[in-house]
Amino acid sequence: MSIGEIAAHETESVTSAADALLTGLMHKPWGQVSLSTYETGRLVTLAPWLIGHQERIRYLLAAQRQDGSWGAPDGYGLVPTLSATEAILSALLRDDYDIERQSIRDAADGGLRVLAGWLSGRQELPDMPAIEHIVPSLVALINRHLEDLPGRPPPLPLPHGMSYDTITLVRSWIESGAEVPEKLLHALEVAGPAAIGAASVRPTAIGTIGASPAATAAWLGDRGARDPDDPARGHLEALARRHGGPVPVGVPITVFERGWVLSWLVRAGVPVDVPPEMVADLRAAIGPAGASAGPGLPADADTTSVALYALALLDMPYEPDSLWAFHSGTHFSTWPGEQGCSVSVNAHVLDAFGQYVVCRPGAAARYGEAIADVAAWIRGRQRADGSWIDRWHASPYYATAGCALALDEFGGDASAAAVRGAVDWVLAGQRPDGSWGRWEGTAEETAYAMMTLLLTRRRSADPRSAEAAARGHAYLMRSSGANHPPLWHDKDLYTPVAVVRAAVLASSHLAQWA
């Protein structure tokens, strides 16, 4: 078989896998998301009546690390460790488990030990959604449990710079009956008893509150045990049955998942058969205020941009004027009033505006200035080593791929040096086994690195890019079928499984023709 025949065979394989992936999106419209230690822990505490309670406790015990913690390094373990420890203490004090008691006590002791060590010093915490509310709420719950334990262990301190004032304000707001911002609904559980049946909070048509199992359970309270027909209980039961007890974070993510999957595949030139219903649904999801990742979540610039970009790539361009609602001068916020900013969101805005102008050249007058401003803003946030970091993903390879691809395609000549810097940084970071990764080599991060090398124009002038991508592709082939560790930011780290699968398929397709 010739090299060309081999490449054609591999392309057919990638295309078949991509078509199967798209079919899966239609069959599982809520999205494919990894299990969450944080959300599962909250259900152990908030909904012991829900089907799968014992399985959730067993999941937490099995996920605990040898040092007593849960989650990833570099501060990412604090929220899941707080949630799991509090949940196990709740089960221990309620005596509602069918697991050997010493195992439960050992898990609780291990969690308390590692938390005491972390919280006694200064720990740099990642920028995670609602972390300033979640950490104080969980520390307060754990300290309340400690009062009921033999010997009354000393209470846990709050991390430096945090206070209980934030959750006090949230609870007062909800108790007042004022309308709760959609963004806050995603972490409604921090409101404690004030969340139960809050009058200003209403479930979506599918029964979710804030696209979060924890928030939904917090709003239901004990009513969930008494009313089997409640739509919110039905939503939680569906999630628990789908995953065998434990639950994911951030469900449903229908629009987010479809937008990212389509944009990765089509941008890389994977010849896929896109279901017309998916395209129609994606377009219908974009309203005057933009698009939300899924029911129960607010519209955001990230989901809106990626949906718009995917539609333009599919030759179905849709006027991107809804993005102006997120405009913050020279850049765009994830949502109005956002604290902080995101380079990946702005890279996606650049993609959306840029591709729309490609499809509709007459729109250059309206969007040209914003394109130049956003490109300059992204360039100004590049790190000295050539990479970018972002608030929505733990890995710099994700942020760097998004920024480098957008700048290369739509950032003009002024962005050439920034793109070269990104390529050089990626080339320097490859591991001996051909992979890339922040903590270890992963297929997901390897895919982002490969796309940075193969989808930017620099590759034609530097043979190192094709050589590195070939080593990366060999790593992907060896790691095929392995689980993808969670790297995406929500209340704890998670994996949008279909999105990551699309990135891996896209990079494999590119490597076959490099």
Side-chain angles (χ1 to χ4, degrees):
M1 187 179 292
S2 69
I3 293 176
E5 289 173 329
I6 293 173
H9 175 73
E10 291 184 350
T11 296
E12 183 178 351
S13 176
V14 168
T15 301
S16 296
D19 284 336
L21 179 62
L22 294 179
T23 300
L25 301 192
M26 301 297 288
H27 288 167
K28 297 178 179 179
W30 285 3
Q32 300 166 53
V33 185
S34 62
L35 297 177
S36 165
T37 296
Y38 172 81
E39 298 280 336
T40 299
R42 296 304 80 226
L43 288 198
V44 168
T45 294
L46 296 168
W49 44 263
L50 181 67
I51 185 173
H53 179 64
Q54 300 300 331
E55 287 76 11
R56 284 187 285 279
I57 295 175
R58 290 191 180 90
Y59 170 81
L60 294 179
L61 295 181
Q64 189 173 27
R65 297 183 179 275
Q66 287 189 343
D67 66 354
S69 70
W70 284 262
D74 297 341
Y76 284 101
L78 180 60
V79 165
T81 301
L82 283 168
S83 182
T85 302
E86 192 282 327
I88 290 169
L89 286 170
S90 292
L92 182 66
L93 293 171
R94 285 193 309 246
D95 197 23
D96 64 359
Y97 52 90
D98 62 5
I99 299 161
E100 198 268 322
R101 185 174 179 83
Q102 191 59 46
S103 298
I104 294 284
R105 292 187 65 89
D106 288 346
D109 289 343
L112 290 171
R113 185 172 56 251
V114 74
L115 286 170
W118 284 348
L119 295 173
S120 64
R122 295 176 70 97
Q123 189 179 34
E124 186 174 345
L125 298 177
D127 183 11
M128 305 287 281
I131 191 171
E132 73 277 14
H133 304 312
I134 289 171
V135 170
S137 70
L138 290 174
V139 170
L141 288 173
I142 289 174
N143 286 340
R144 201 172 304 151
H145 294 322
L146 295 181
E147 295 177 0
D148 297 327
L149 292 180
R152 296 192 65 162
L156 297 175
L158 285 178
H160 177 76
M162 285 192 181
S163 76
Y164 294 110
D165 294 344
T166 58
I167 54 172
T168 300
L169 288 172
V170 169
R171 290 169 183 174
S172 298
W173 189 345
I174 292 172
E175 287 170 346
S176 74
E179 194 72 19
V180 181
E182 280 188 290
K183 186 174 69 169
L184 182 58
L185 289 178
H186 188 55
L188 183 67
E189 67 274 11
V190 303
I196 301 173
S200 61
V201 176
R202 292 168 293 278
T204 67
I206 63 171
T208 181
I209 303 291
S212 162
T216 305
W219 181 79
L220 259 179
D222 291 338
R223 188 175 74 257
R226 300 191 304 270
D227 185 358
D229 297 322
D230 190 292
R233 170 171 166 166
H235 178 75
L236 291 177
E237 286 183 340
L239 288 175
R241 290 181 188 279
R242 162 70 71 183
H243 301 283
V247 293
V249 65
V251 175
I253 57 164
T254 310
V255 181
F256 161 79
E257 182 181 71
R258 292 178 179 185
W260 261 259
V261 167
L262 289 173
S263 62
W264 282 135
L265 295 176
V266 180
R267 185 173 213 159
V270 180
V272 288
D273 183 15
V274 180
E277 304 96 325
M278 186 181 295
V279 179
D281 287 349
L282 199 61
R283 183 164 183 167
I286 305 170
S292 64
L297 293 170
D300 68 85
D302 212 17
T303 305
T304 305
S305 297
V306 176
L308 288 165
Y309 178 63
L311 289 170
L313 286 176
L314 292 166
D315 293 324
M316 297 273 296
Y318 188 79
E319 182 77 40
D321 53 355
S322 59
L323 285 173
W324 293 122
F326 308 97
H327 195 214
S328 299
T330 57
H331 71 286
F332 288 73
S333 300
T334 308
W335 48 72
E338 176 187 25
Q339 295 179 349
C341 52
S342 164
V343 294
S344 70
V345 168
N346 282 273
H348 295 146
V349 170
L350 182 56
D351 283 335
F353 282 162
Q355 193 64 36
Y356 183 77
V357 170
V358 169
C359 296
R360 299 282 189 270
R366 183 173 188 190
Y367 299 109
E369 183 177 354
I371 288 172
D373 285 347
V374 171
W377 186 88
I378 295 171
R379 292 195 302 268
R381 276 143 189 82
Q382 188 174 27
R383 298 197 293 181
D385 63 6
S387 68
W388 283 269
I389 56 174
D390 191 55
R391 68 179 314 191
W392 295 118
H393 203 283
S395 174
Y397 291 100
Y398 172 80
T400 300
C403 292
L405 296 185
L407 289 177
D408 183 69
E409 196 162 2
F410 306 114
D413 293 340
S415 299
V419 175
R420 285 195 300 271
V423 170
D424 288 339
W425 175 77
V426 168
L427 288 170
Q430 190 169 30
R431 294 171 178 266
D433 65 354
S435 69
W436 284 267
R438 173 177 176 173
W439 294 306
E440 60 180 342
T442 69
E444 178 183 356
E445 292 166 282
T446 298
Y448 299 144
M450 290 169 61
M451 284 191 276
T452 303
L453 298 178
L454 298 178
L455 275 175
T456 56
R457 285 168 287 186
R458 170 79 186 275
R459 71 184 180 93
S460 60
D462 191 341
R464 296 180 302 161
S465 292
E467 294 167 2
R471 294 196 300 275
H473 186 223
Y475 168 82
L476 293 182
M477 296 301 99
R478 293 195 304 273
S479 62
S480 177
N483 289 331
H484 302 290
L487 293 168
W488 293 66
H489 284 192
D490 203 316
K491 288 182 277 187
D492 59 354
L493 292 178
Y494 75 103
T495 304
V497 178
V499 171
V500 172
R501 175 65 172 153
V504 171
L505 289 173
S507 63
S508 296
H509 175 77
L510 290 167
Q512 290 162 9
W513 298 100

